[in-house]
Amino acid sequence: MATKGVGMANKGPSFGLSRQVQDKIDSKYDPDLEQILVEWISRQCGSGVGRPEAGKAGFQAWLKDGCVLGELINSLSAGDKPVKKIQSSSMAFKQMEQISQFLTAAENYGVTKTDMFQTVDLWEAKDLAAVQRTLSALGSLAVTKDEGTYNGDPNWFFKKAQENKRDFSDDQLKAGKNVIGLQMGSNKGASQEGMSYGRPRQIL
């Protein structure tokens, strides 16, 4: 029995303000970034994941069941695989569960909550730009960590800033307490010379 595209609820097309909001979200989707992400995921996971049709709908359909995402996060992990069981399913809740497992694993890998998409952003194609943002953040982290698991051109993603911790000795810290920061102001060169406040008081 062939199944048609499974939707969440009986949600028709949006109109008015809802339509304007959705159009604005859709306009943030970057076709050039899509090409980079597809190329990276294909290299990272191997030929088994295939390639999507060009365009937003193809990109969403490719990632929607969570299998490709599971393979991606597993390929970045040197030790234990964060997503234990990856299997294709036509059941909506299974697909969403796999997307959710990817999101949890990506957060554990180091992607910040502000860079994460929500399951419905991908599954219902609500905000595919957010999906791109999460995958870009994941790519940047993989390049930055440089653990030997990244397969792709390092120039595709920005390298994240690294922590630069400094250790000061007690003597250095004590010496720093004696310095008056410039933001506190300075009284050097200040005097009341040449200042007048009107006529002096007349004493009769």
Side-chain angles (χ1 to χ4, degrees):
M1 173 172 106
T3 56
K4 291 184 178 176
V6 182
M8 278 300 282
N10 294 330
K11 187 174 183 318
S14 53
F15 297 98
L17 186 61
S18 298
R19 179 57 179 243
Q20 288 176 350
V21 169
Q22 191 58 49
D23 287 347
K24 191 170 186 177
I25 290 170
D26 290 345
S27 70
K28 293 181 180 177
Y29 185 82
D30 185 350
D32 295 333
L33 181 56
E34 175 197 311
Q35 290 179 340
I36 289 171
L37 291 171
V38 167
E39 185 62 38
W40 172 52
I41 293 169
S42 299
R43 281 197 203 177
Q44 188 71 40
C45 301
S47 59
V49 297
R51 283 179 173 270
E53 291 178 28
K56 244 191 321 197
F59 188 68
Q60 188 250 353
W62 187 48
L63 300 175
K64 183 179 175 181
D65 67 358
C67 292
V68 173
L69 295 174
E71 294 287 351
L72 175 63
I73 196 70
N74 280 353
S75 71
L76 291 171
S77 305
D80 288 343
K81 303 300 179 199
V83 179
K84 303 290 180 220
K85 192 175 183 185
I86 301 172
Q87 67 182 77
S88 187
S89 172
S90 59
M91 295 165 73
F93 77 93
K94 283 281 189 195
Q95 292 179 351
M96 293 208 275
E97 184 183 357
Q98 287 198 151
I99 294 170
S100 182
Q101 285 177 351
F102 162 78
L103 291 171
T104 303
E107 192 175 340
N108 292 339
Y109 188 74
V111 178
T112 57
K113 275 196 180 298
T114 52
D115 285 333
M116 299 294 257
F117 68 87
Q118 306 223 335
T119 304
V120 292
D121 291 338
L122 171 59
W123 206 84
E124 293 183 5
K126 291 266 187 217
D127 189 357
L128 290 173
V131 176
Q132 287 185 322
R133 206 168 39 250
T134 301
L135 293 172
S136 293
L138 186 64
S140 293
L141 261 175
V143 169
T144 306
K145 285 186 172 190
D146 197 20
E147 297 172 329
T149 55
Y150 176 81
N151 295 326
D153 186 341
N155 297 320
W156 284 341
F157 302 107
F158 293 110
K159 214 171 189 183
K160 292 206 179 270
Q162 298 285 68
E163 184 180 32
N164 188 3
K165 213 169 186 176
R166 293 168 173 87
D167 292 318
F168 294 108
S169 69
D170 288 340
D171 292 337
Q172 288 173 315
L173 291 171
K174 283 178 189 169
K177 289 179 183 174
N178 298 331
V179 176
I180 297 173
L182 288 177
Q183 68 266 34
M184 306 299 185
S186 168
N187 65 355
K188 286 196 170 97
S191 77
Q192 291 182 331
E193 189 182 337
M195 296 177 80
S196 62
Y197 294 100
R199 283 174 46 195
R201 193 168 120 196
Q202 302 295 316
I203 301 172
L204 300 171

